[in-house]
Amino acid sequence: MRRARPLLESLVAVGIGLIAGGALMLPFRYHPLKAYQALFQGAFGTPHDVMETLAFATPLMLTAVTFAVGVRAGLFNIGAEGQMYIGAIGAVFAASLLPLPPGLHILVATLVAMICGALWSLVPALLKIWRGVHEVISTIMFNWIAFHLATYLAIYYLAEPGRAERTRPALPTARYPILAEGSTLTAVIFVAILFCLAVYFLLWGTRMGYEMRLVGENPEAARYAGVQIGQALLWSFLIGGMAAGLAGASQIIGRPPAWSLYATLGNVATLGFDGIGVALVGRNHPLGGILAAILFGALQHGGRFMEYHAGVVSELVRAVNGLIVITLAIPELWTLVRRRLTL
Amino acid sequence: MGPRIEMRGIHKVYPDGTVALRGVDFRLGPGEIVGLLGENGAGKTTLMKILSGLLQPTRGEIRIDGRPVRFRNPADALRAGIGMVHQIFTLVPPYTALENIILGQEGSNLWLVKDRARDQVQRLLEEVGLSIPLDTPMELLPIGVQQRVEIAKVLYRGTQTLILDEPTSALTPLEVDELFRFLRRLKEGGRSIVFITHKLREVLEISDRIVVLRNGRVTGEISTREATPELLAEWMVGRAVVPRVSRSPHPPGEPVLIVRDLEVIGDLGLPAVKGVSFEVRAGEIFGIAGVEGNGQSELAQALGGLRPIHRGEILLDGKPLPALTPIEAYRRGIAHIPEDRLRFGMALNFEVAENSILSRQWEPTFLRGWGRLDWPRILAFTAALLQRFQVIAPGVRAPARSLSGGNQQKLVVGRELAKEPRLILAVHPTRGLDVASTAYIRELLVQMRDAGKAVLLISADLDEVLELSDRIAVMYEGKFLGVGPVEAFTREEIGLMMGGIVPQGRAV
């Protein structure tokens, strides 16, 4: 019962968000029901659409974990974006340059990406633990450093000969299998879901997770309980970094047709920031994040159909989506704000 | 001349039902220093927060120069010339003294008006005789000077009535002397001062008149010339005879805890515990009385492994303890009922079960391989704990938030007692609890004593200390002013020591 309450609240929020979005469409003389029907059918109407929706959801559930695992430990870690770039670069490197046998190659490329993401979170983590540097500041800075570093590496070292707009594609041995002909959904989604499940289990089923959550809930009580606070924070950063790194990899070795990183980083950009919204909608819970990511995926994929079936202009589609997301994020945002105010 | 300020029949009930003031009359004349004396929770600070507009009285009226006034906020009070310097400073550390003084008064731009304000501030400081380096960032100044800035900030707003809340608590003796010289000068200039304190010597030295509060009522008012420490102490702590809890009469056993010459540094970087020595024996309750903020918290934190020891040593069962961590303290048999359950003792959003293993989450008993929590065992343990210690909870998986304060505290106390410790460190164990929970927790502590445990009770509630303890000490400014069997002291003597005065014929 009690556990179901956040889910219920989120469902109510979805309803309110849809109504608000509908209200926004009315003055522009669009038909909200028709538009939503197009949205829903676009997102879930055919098996192919469901798979596209899930393909959009895959990286988002991971970057949501980055934020959620931070919040659980009392951090406001918004470094998923940068950690994901570095993870993507790591994946490109391992997938396109290392000649490895099938199977092993996927594994190595995935792990390299996760380690790269974790390493990129290490400096903000240590700055926080040793010097008390606020993670919002340091992770924003590291996002920019990552952006330029990734762009540089993509153009100067990893560019595909003759096609400077993108990196070398992943070798076929490093590509996750596509789940259905013509779809962009690959088996990487299983890895992503598995990772979310693992984080869920870690947070609520292990001593380490208990201590991380205790640090987030009440750092003084954590000290009283003998928790090494620095260690708990470090793990929160590193697990978040691994999630973001995996999100980066999912776009390189788990997303046709490019199988590579664009030099503009266009095929990964903003996935990390979107994860913050996904995490809020998912109530900072790794499993809630999966559901929220699917919702986001549906809005992204289905939104296109709103445009050409219900004729809603694309700007309004985005506004409606944004409105729904904001409404959804309010319950969790409110708890976060309230916690800041009362402490 | 009539009083400048008159407060009549002031009542204050906090939203949570706590009654802080029960009909207090207070007046203050021009050029007068009034000492407001009392224990923790007597209502001193509440009364003055009402006068300075920070709190609204539930009932009662305030008159200034005979006219009734109503302050909705501190700005109202400041306009009426009343300003308060709080115990916790409200300064911006990287700003200079000058910037801090004019902050909030500067209009649109702090830096534009700074030079204009500088002259004004200079003149004010010369007038009242304060010396402050105006261009030094606050964080580089010692506490005593920071306090002067805090006072200057209030005076700069044209204050005629200055309220100081325990102003000497962080000061060195030399700084106290300086502060007093300065206060006398202010008084000669015609300003009125309220000096909140629990220190008898200081109030006798600086004030013209003394008002003593206890339990939200004025228990005595006297001109300082006629006051004696004994009289003030009696007003402060009352003379009620506390019924002793029934206990098995048995001689205490071997010393479990021996503390030698312990020194602990407080949050301000100054020694908070200044060389105390004592022992707690098996089968006895050793109670430490004293007004809060005299080093008790720091002492408890040091024994619980939460604060490093600066000097001295702690022996448990005759063996010296190394640098303690909370886990190490528990391993060696110390259970710690922390002073503030919400701050240290629990996480409100955690489940009851999660709270029942807080501080034991590392124990192999509650873990399976790979650091996994053994939930079935934890839930069974919690259920047994709730039953054994009469904790009423909606369920073991309910959030701790859903428990009443009394049941939250019983959960914390039960969790600690279930550790089967050698030494129980109980800090303010019944603060803010209902009567039934208070009685139950006190009974538990006596049971532990009767079962041969050593209990160190630290409490600002004098009645509690007198009711439960076999031996007591009174802590004042980081030191013990008296140690001995509880029967050896009269209540008045304890009151004197809580105010910092060692009664005649008693050496420590």
Side-chain angles (χ1 to χ4, degrees), chain A residues 191-270:
Chain A
V191 182
I193 291 175
L194 215 62
F195 192 91
C196 294
L197 283 169
V199 172
Y200 165 68
F201 176 75
L202 180 97
L203 280 174
W204 279 276
T206 68
R207 173 190 169 188
M208 187 209 243
Y210 177 98
E211 296 192 339
M212 276 164 55
R213 286 184 300 120
L214 185 56
V215 169
E217 284 291 337
N218 185 346
E220 298 240 51
R223 229 163 65 76
Y224 162 85
V227 176
Q228 303 280 334
I229 292 180
Q231 229 172 59
L233 293 180
L234 182 65
W235 279 114
S236 166
F237 270 109
L238 292 182
I239 292 165
M242 278 159 62
L246 182 56
S250 77
Q251 301 305 292
I252 306 300
I253 55 177
R255 192 89 189 259
W259 303 108
S260 63
L261 181 64
Y262 295 146
T264 55
L265 309 188
N267 56 336
V268 293
T270 77

Side-chain angles (χ1 to χ4, degrees), chain B residues 271-411:
Chain B
V273 179
K274 303 167 184 169
V276 300
S277 303
F278 63 95
E279 54 181 48
V280 187
R281 294 162 184 273
E284 80 164 355
I285 298 180
F286 182 75
I288 298 179
V291 176
E292 242 177 290
N294 277 291
Q296 298 98 318
S297 298
E298 289 81 357
L299 173 63
Q301 287 169 10
L303 292 172
L306 283 167
R307 198 177 271 278
I309 291 159
H310 185 237
R311 203 158 53 78
E313 63 176 343
I314 302 172
L315 288 85
L316 201 70
D317 287 323
K319 287 187 287 288
L321 290 183
L324 273 179
T325 62
I327 290 179
E328 191 59 31
Y330 166 33
R331 277 218 186 97
R332 295 186 181 240
I334 300 176
H336 183 183
I337 301 165
E339 59 178 307
D340 181 345
R341 66 173 174 277
L342 298 182
R343 197 171 146 207
F344 296 102
M346 59 195 322
L348 282 180
N349 290 328
F350 268 34
E351 294 169 359
V352 171
E354 289 173 318
N355 274 297
S356 77
I357 58 159
L358 195 146
S359 76
R360 302 182 70 167
Q361 76 282 356
W362 52 272
E363 253 181 86
T365 330
F366 298 114
L367 296 177
R368 291 185 283 181
W370 296 68
R372 285 173 303 157
L373 296 170
D374 189 345
W375 278 111
R377 182 169 281 185
I378 292 169
L379 296 180
F381 169 78
T382 307
L385 194 73
L386 298 188
Q387 198 177 16
R388 180 174 160 201
F389 293 99
Q390 304 177 11
V391 183
I392 297 163
V396 290
R397 308 219 66 156
R401 187 179 287 289
S402 63
L403 272 60
S404 71
N407 283 303
Q408 289 172 357
Q409 182 72 357
K410 281 194 270 180
L411 177 65

Side-chain angles (χ1 to χ4, degrees), chain A residues 16-26 32 36 316 319-321 323-324 327:
Chain A
I16 295 173
L18 288 174
I19 292 168
L24 185 65
M25 280 188 260
L26 283 177
Y36 283 139
L316 195 60
V320 168
N321 285 355
L323 208 55
I324 293 172
T327 326

Side-chain angles (χ1 to χ4, degrees), chain B residues 176-177 180 184 200-207 224:
Chain B
V176 172
D177 287 345
F180 282 5
R184 288 200 189 92
L200 295 172
R201 210 188 303 280
E202 289 178 0
V203 79
L204 285 166
E205 185 183 336
I206 187 70
S207 67
T224 306

